[in-house]
Amino acid sequence: MTQEQTYLLGEQAVVLDLNCARLDNEQQNRLFALHRHLQKQAGYTDIVVGKTSLTLVLQDPTQGTKWLEALLSLWHALSAEDFQPNTHKIPVIYGGEAGPDLAPLAEQLNLSQQDIVELHSSPTYQVKFLGFLPGFAYLGSVPEQLQVARLSSPRTHVPAGSVAIAEDLSAIYPSASPGGWRLLGNSITRLFDANAQSPSLFQPGDNVKFVPQKEGLC
Amino acid sequence: MLEVIKPGVQMCIQDLGRHGHRHLGVSQSGAMDPMALQIANLLLDNPPNTAVLEITVGLAQLKFTTATNFALTGGDLSARLDDTPLTPGWRYFSKPDQILSFASSSEALRAYLSVEGGFSLKAALDSHSTDIQAGFGGINGSALAAGDQLHYESCIEKSSAGALQPPYHKKIRILPGPHCERLSLTTQQLLCTQQWQVSPDSNRMGMRLSGSELVTHQVSINSQAVLPGTIQLPPNGAPIVLLNDCQTTGGYPMVAQVIAADLRHFAQLSAGDSISFTLVTPAQAYQEIQRQQYHLNQLRIALTHRDRSNS
């Protein structure tokens, strides 16, 4: 039982906070259903899904109190079945130069590199939310056996396309950036293009399946 | 054409920011002082969201290769057109090949320059703002460099016009944030009882503050949306005021939100400056937004009358 609540963030945003450590599948998909539903409405400039929350940035700050109630009743009215995700298959070259942390991680976890590829590519991940960089999707959840902390010292340069893990999440770096996640492989899939009509391949709630390629470990 | 001779510390193209893409991890960007940007555009009868140049620190030189009216707003970085000193809040005319130069000032950090009709630029994600980290918007997604050229339509001389700009403050008004309860303290106790110093590692993403009494903690929250103006409190107790280029989500407790009308003051704060926070109500925050809108409307009306009576 969660005690979901709504509150104002400053004078221009309204937050629905589900007030729990993590969401179950029903709650998670209901949150995405709410996101999709709100995307068809007017009156806001941005809607941002968080790990256990949704934030609406309003066009007219005087509408805040109205939205405090509206968000809660929409949350109660919607259900997980109202959300139908898209699925993306992402080819990944695992190991070697494409995934420099794969071999050391295998040693640390006392597994073979193939085991790790198998573990990482077996689940269907869900885009929990995007952030950090344009098109950077936080994908959950990594199988428990593969959950490891971030590197103690982050890399100053992680190449674009790097497929990485940290704790219970996986991600693909859409562009080169500094980063502390463990790099298992690389994908050539273009994730973000600022000049495209639909700039981000991944939308909140989408499903993602990693497909090991024969050029790397599989 | 406007040619960059010396870009100084940072010179970049900004408009009122990139909105509607935060759910994809795209930052807002945009002018740190949206009021100064709008005044610069009003002075030239440009649409309010026309992209302008944001000049940081100064120490910069630009050349107008063709004639144009231009407006200068924001902080006073001791600008000169050739040898003539210029006052921020005014529009001026440049003949071909005049040089606009900026010195620097201990009192101000950012100035804004607009040209009549705006620069000719390509939008990325519905905005001309430069997102330097992500590498899009502006020109090639970068800060401007020596040799860069910005195109505009040349135009005939308008008489000089201007007005006093609304002043900048170091007393920042805030609204309470959602996570103070988890720290067992109020926003008032956490932020409003001491002066804060701006740390040197501050930039368009965020302003780090240091103070004499820091509340350290070990509270983390599930990543949720943050906005420009959100004040986060990391475990070391030194608050971070998020600014235009901030990420879209964050996992540090959010202890306050700067009212929208006061975000412009951060455009002029440099390392070592001392600021304080004071709590207000949402009603006061709306009122301040309206006051700014009123100021812009008054200026628009005054300029329209003036330009009509001159023509």
Side-chain angles (χ1 to χ4, degrees), chain B residues 21 83 128 233 287 306:
Chain B
H21 306 285
D83 294 325
H128 292 121
L233 197 73
Q287 209 178 2
R306 189 199 150 94

Short mmCIF file of all heavy atoms in Angstrom, two decimals, chain B residues 21 83 128 233 287 306:
data_model
loop_
_atom_site.label_atom_id
_atom_site.label_comp_id
_atom_site.label_asym_id
_atom_site.label_seq_id
_atom_site.Cartn_x
_atom_site.Cartn_y
_atom_site.Cartn_z
N HIS B 21 10.75 18.78 -24.22
CA HIS B 21 11.56 17.59 -24.50
C HIS B 21 12.27 17.06 -23.25
O HIS B 21 13.17 16.24 -23.35
CB HIS B 21 12.61 17.91 -25.57
CG HIS B 21 12.03 18.49 -26.83
ND1 HIS B 21 11.36 17.72 -27.75
CD2 HIS B 21 11.97 19.76 -27.29
CE1 HIS B 21 10.93 18.49 -28.74
NE2 HIS B 21 11.29 19.74 -28.48
N ASP B 83 35.09 53.71 -29.77
CA ASP B 83 35.53 54.33 -28.51
C ASP B 83 34.38 54.83 -27.65
O ASP B 83 34.60 55.37 -26.57
CB ASP B 83 36.47 55.51 -28.82
CG ASP B 83 37.75 55.02 -29.46
OD1 ASP B 83 38.20 53.91 -29.07
OD2 ASP B 83 38.27 55.71 -30.36
N HIS B 128 16.62 27.84 -30.69
CA HIS B 128 17.96 28.20 -31.17
C HIS B 128 18.98 28.15 -30.05
O HIS B 128 20.17 28.38 -30.27
CB HIS B 128 17.93 29.62 -31.76
CG HIS B 128 17.15 29.71 -33.03
ND1 HIS B 128 16.07 30.54 -33.18
CD2 HIS B 128 17.27 29.03 -34.20
CE1 HIS B 128 15.56 30.38 -34.39
NE2 HIS B 128 16.26 29.48 -35.03
N LEU B 233 20.15 19.43 -2.05
CA LEU B 233 21.10 19.36 -0.95
C LEU B 233 21.82 18.01 -0.98
O LEU B 233 21.30 17.01 -0.52
CB LEU B 233 20.40 19.55 0.40
CG LEU B 233 21.33 19.90 1.55
CD1 LEU B 233 21.82 21.34 1.43
CD2 LEU B 233 20.65 19.70 2.90
N GLN B 287 2.75 36.93 -8.30
CA GLN B 287 2.70 38.38 -8.36
C GLN B 287 3.99 38.93 -9.00
O GLN B 287 3.95 39.87 -9.79
CB GLN B 287 2.56 38.92 -6.95
CG GLN B 287 1.84 40.22 -6.86
CD GLN B 287 1.70 40.66 -5.41
OE1 GLN B 287 2.17 40.00 -4.48
NE2 GLN B 287 1.05 41.78 -5.22
N ARG B 306 7.15 56.16 -28.87
CA ARG B 306 8.34 56.91 -29.21
C ARG B 306 8.69 56.73 -30.69
O ARG B 306 8.94 57.70 -31.40
CB ARG B 306 9.49 56.41 -28.33
CG ARG B 306 10.73 57.24 -28.44
CD ARG B 306 11.92 56.47 -27.93
NE ARG B 306 13.08 56.93 -28.66
CZ ARG B 306 13.87 57.90 -28.22
NH1 ARG B 306 13.67 58.44 -27.06
NH2 ARG B 306 14.89 58.29 -28.95
#
